[in-house]
């Protein structure tokens, strides 16, 4: 099973790039962020003509998330209220369309577009921290059903110094502040682990390059697009890759896709025993 995540920074602007990447890479599920389109105007027909199923949760000009899959997903849930129907803050935070999940072959895939926060002095920064606290409650509620979880998206947080091209200068700023990192670590708890770091411990791997200041040409990026897996799935992960070359497209998104390959569904115990006999 291949699951991918990509902040496309407008699905209509990048439609042909997305369809081309889907054809080349053939994921079972692509999770899109920052689709920037209200649901009635989402280019659904183009995806369906190419053989894809789409679940959407969008808004005009800002935010927006979508799930693009070969097979229909089960139990699609939109917004924080999808897990927290009685949480008043979840309803308020859900006015921005940033959360969608669905079941793919028994795996709960959660697609997130975490708020940026703008700057430490902005009113958007405490909003981001509140959002992350709500995410923790959301994950706690989801965990009660016992579904294997793969959580992906644009987290707008570099968790460690090795996730930033210039940590000495940028650590402590927005997307790399202690409060943001602590809030995300709190949400992850002991349940979820960073799939990319299982395969690549070194610095120098980025998923986002700012459009400004020639960041792409100088390879001055951040790793803020993540895939987190529960323990069961972590043991079945076979690779996790940043598709950096996509950032070099004409009129690209400022983010590159990230994908994980899982050996799912796992072989049952009986099949494992039979295999050992031979």
């Amino acid at each position: 099973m291949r699951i991918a995540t990509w902040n496309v920074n407008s699905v209509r602007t990048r439609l042909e790039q997305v369809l081309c990447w889907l054809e080349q890479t053939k994921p079972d599920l692509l999770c899109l962020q920052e689709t920037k389109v209200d649901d009635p105007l989402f280019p659904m027909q183009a995806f369906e003509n190419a053989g894809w199923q789409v679940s959407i949760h969008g808004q005009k000009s800002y935010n927006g998330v979508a799930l693009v899959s070969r097979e229909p997903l089960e139990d699609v849930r939109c917004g924080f209220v999808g897990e927290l129907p009685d949480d008043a803050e979840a309803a308020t935070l859900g006015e921005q369309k940033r959360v969608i999940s669905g079941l793919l072959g028994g795996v709960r895939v959660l697609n997130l577009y975490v708020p940026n926060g703008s700057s430490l002095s902005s009113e958007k920064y405490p909003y981001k921290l509140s959002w992350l606290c709500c995410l923790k409650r959301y994950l706690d509620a989801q965990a009660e059903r016992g579904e294997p979880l793969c959580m992906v998206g644009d987290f707008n947080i570099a968790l460690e110094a090795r996730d930033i091209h210039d940590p000495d200068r940028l650590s402590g700023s927005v997307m790399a502040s202690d409060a943001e990192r602590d809030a995300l670590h709190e949400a992850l708890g002991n349940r979820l682990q960073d799939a990319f770091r299982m395969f690549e411990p070194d610095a120098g791997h980025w998923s986002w390059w700012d459009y400004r200041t020639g960041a792409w040409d100088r390879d001055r990026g951040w790793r803020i697009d993540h895939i987190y897996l529960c323990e069961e799935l972590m043991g079945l992960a076979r690779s996790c890759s940043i598709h950096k070359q996509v950032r070099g497209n004409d009129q690209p998104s400022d983010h590159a896709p990230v994908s994980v390959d899982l050996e799912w569904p796992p072989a049952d115990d009986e099949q494992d025993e039979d295999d050992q006999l031979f």
Side-chain angles (χ1 to χ4, degrees), residues 120 125-126 128-130 132-133 157 159 172-173 175-186:
L120 300 187
Y125 183 74
K128 181 177 189 175
L129 298 180
S130 295
L132 290 165
C133 288
I157 298 172
L159 268 178
S173 64
M175 299 200 304
S177 69
D178 288 344
E180 293 167 89
R181 289 170 166 175
D182 290 347
L184 181 53
H185 277 299
E186 186 72 16

Side-chain angles (χ1 to χ4, degrees), residues 37-63:
V37 60
D38 202 5
D39 289 351
L41 297 178
F42 190 96
M44 189 75 71
Q45 194 65 53
F47 285 96
E48 291 178 349
N49 289 346
W52 297 93
Q53 308 281 326
V54 187
S55 300
I56 54 178
H57 187 48
Q59 65 186 89
K60 181 180 178 180
S61 301
Y62 298 98
N63 307 318

